[in-house]
Amino acid sequence: MIIFQEAAEGAEAVASISEEKTLSVMDLIVNGGTASIVIIMVLFVLLFVALYIYFERVFAIKAASKIDKNFMNQIRDHVMNGKLEAARLLCAQTDSPVARLIEKGVARIGKPLDDINTSIENAGTLEVYKLEKNVSVLATVAGAAPMIGFLGTVIGMILAFHEMASSGGQAEMGSLASGIYTAMTTTVAGLVVGIIAYIGYNHLVNRTDKVVHQMEANAVEFLDLLNEPI
């Protein structure tokens, strides 16, 4: 019984020590000093910007990808029956990149096919630009965040070595804590923000490519329609 009691007391002591040594994220930020706080605040702003752009683009791209499955069939029927105004009205009532491309093509029916194709391509370029709005900012955050974190690492190590130099190389670990905290916390924060922005950027690029493919497929279908014998 005495052995079990001592073991229990030892476990409680270890648990107590473990709890005392546990640090929250806020403790890590504050204990890193002014440099750590400033750099992590900058990274927090970048994270907010990255998340805002990501979710804004996700919803925009999702809305752009929605189109009635019967849209092209209705366009085909209107064009084949010579109802070009009805086809243009249908395109105007459909809020999607595909509809805007087809509207440009319908408006130029009767002109050479190359002119129609060029008009659709120009409209497609504008639509892709709209889809990719601010996505480059996300890529910039993905690249800049880790570098800002590493800047904090360098600053932290400079502070630590400066403390050692000031004490003649006899500095205790406690006096080096601020510099070490700055180095470690900013590195982790920069990598976390960079990883989140990088994953978000690649996801948006993938979603955008799918919409562009949809636009190209429908544009080709429309041009093939114009080549069909009436």
Side-chain angles (χ1 to χ4, degrees):
M1 294 295 294
I2 295 176
I3 296 176
F4 290 136
Q5 183 177 0
E6 291 179 350
E9 291 176 352
E12 291 177 359
V14 171
S16 176
I17 294 173
S18 177
E19 290 177 359
E20 291 177 357
K21 292 183 177 180
T22 300
L23 291 176
S24 66
V25 175
M26 186 57 65
D27 290 333
L28 289 173
I29 295 174
V30 173
N31 291 337
T34 304
S36 175
I37 294 174
V38 171
I39 291 176
I40 290 180
M41 288 301 100
V42 171
L43 292 171
F44 179 79
V45 171
L46 291 179
L47 177 61
F48 175 80
V49 171
L51 291 176
Y52 173 81
I53 292 174
Y54 172 75
F55 286 109
E56 189 272 335
R57 285 293 87 197
V58 164
F59 291 125
I61 293 172
K62 183 177 180 180
S65 63
K66 289 183 178 180
I67 187 171
D68 188 357
K69 294 181 179 179
N70 294 321
F71 174 76
M72 288 306 299
N73 291 331
Q74 292 176 316
I75 291 295
R76 175 185 293 273
D77 292 339
H78 290 323
V79 172
M80 296 298 290
N81 293 324
K83 300 178 180 179
L84 300 184
E85 286 300 323
R88 294 184 63 178
L89 180 61
L90 176 61
C91 292
Q93 293 174 344
T94 305
D95 185 17
S96 72
V98 171
R100 287 188 282 272
L101 260 63
I102 302 303
E103 184 178 9
K104 290 292 184 181
V106 171
R108 284 161 176 75
I109 289 180
K111 295 183 179 181
L113 194 60
D114 288 340
D115 291 345
I116 299 176
N117 186 31
T118 301
S119 177
I120 292 176
E121 288 180 352
N122 292 337
T125 300
L126 294 176
E127 293 299 328
V128 172
Y129 175 78
K130 292 178 182 179
L131 291 173
E132 295 178 345
K133 179 183 177 182
N134 293 329
V135 175
S136 60
V137 176
L138 201 60
T140 301
V141 172
M147 289 191 289
I148 294 174
F150 291 144
L151 174 62
T153 302
V154 174
I155 293 174
M157 297 310 297
I158 289 174
L159 293 175
F161 282 114
H162 178 266
E163 186 66 28
M164 291 179 63
S166 300
S167 62
Q170 301 298 323
E172 297 180 357
M173 286 300 297
S175 63
L176 302 177
S178 179
I180 295 174
Y181 272 128
T182 300
M184 296 300 100
T185 55
T186 56
T187 300
V188 172
L191 289 174
V192 169
V193 175
I195 290 170
I196 292 174
Y198 181 75
I199 293 173
Y201 170 77
N202 281 282
H203 181 247
L204 290 179
V205 169
N206 184 50
R207 294 286 298 271
T208 301
D209 288 342
K210 290 181 179 179
V211 178
V212 171
H213 176 73
Q214 183 185 55
M215 292 164 54
E216 292 175 346
N218 283 275
V220 170
E221 182 178 352
F222 177 76
L223 292 174
D224 289 342
L225 168 64
L226 299 182
N227 285 323
E228 292 181 2
I230 302 177

